[in-house]
C-alpha cells in the first residue's frame, strides 16, 4: 500500500532536513509549493490529504541522500515515474 502516517512523514522530513541542512521553508516549497505548510504540519499539527502525504513521501524517497540510510520501520515507496502523478 502507499499510505503513510503523518508521524512517519514528520520523522522523514525532520531527518531529511537535519541531514541536508535544508530549512523548513525550502523543503516545504519543494514538497507542497507552499513555504509555510511543512512548519504548520511539524509544529502546529496541521493535517494533509492522503494524496499529498503520499506524494511528499515519494518526493523524499526519490531525493533521499545516498549516504543516509532510509529509517527502519518506515516503508519506502518505489520510485515514481514522471507520468505517474503531479507534484505534491
Amino acid at each position: 500500500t502507499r499510505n503513510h502516517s503523518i508521524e512517519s512523514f514528520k520523522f522523514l522530513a525532520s531527518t531529511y532536513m537535519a541531514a541536508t541542512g535544508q530549512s523548513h521553508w525550502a523543503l516545504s516549497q519543494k514538497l507542497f509549493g507552499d513555504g509555510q505548510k511543512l512548519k504548520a504540519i511539524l509544529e502546529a499539527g496541521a493535517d494533509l490529504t492522503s494524496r499529498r502525504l503520499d506524494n511528499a513521501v515519494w518526493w523524499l524517497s526519490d531525493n533521499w541522500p545516498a549516504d543516509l540510510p532510509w529509517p527502519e520501520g518506515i516503508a519506502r515507496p518505489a520510485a515514481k515515474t514522471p507520468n505517474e502523478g503531479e507534484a505534491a
Side-chain angles (χ1 to χ4, degrees), residues 26-78:
L27 183 57
S28 190
Q29 277 295 121
K30 291 175 182 177
L31 294 174
F32 307 114
D34 174 352
Q36 298 302 317
K37 184 67 175 172
L38 183 57
K39 187 173 183 178
I41 294 164
L42 295 176
E43 295 179 8
D47 207 358
L48 283 173
T49 64
S50 59
R51 182 182 183 133
R52 288 185 90 191
L53 177 62
D54 285 345
N55 283 337
V57 173
W58 257 318
W59 188 96
L60 288 167
S61 180
D62 287 349
N63 294 280
W64 200 255
D67 60 345
L68 181 66
W70 185 261
E72 285 192 37
I74 298 177
R76 187 169 189 174

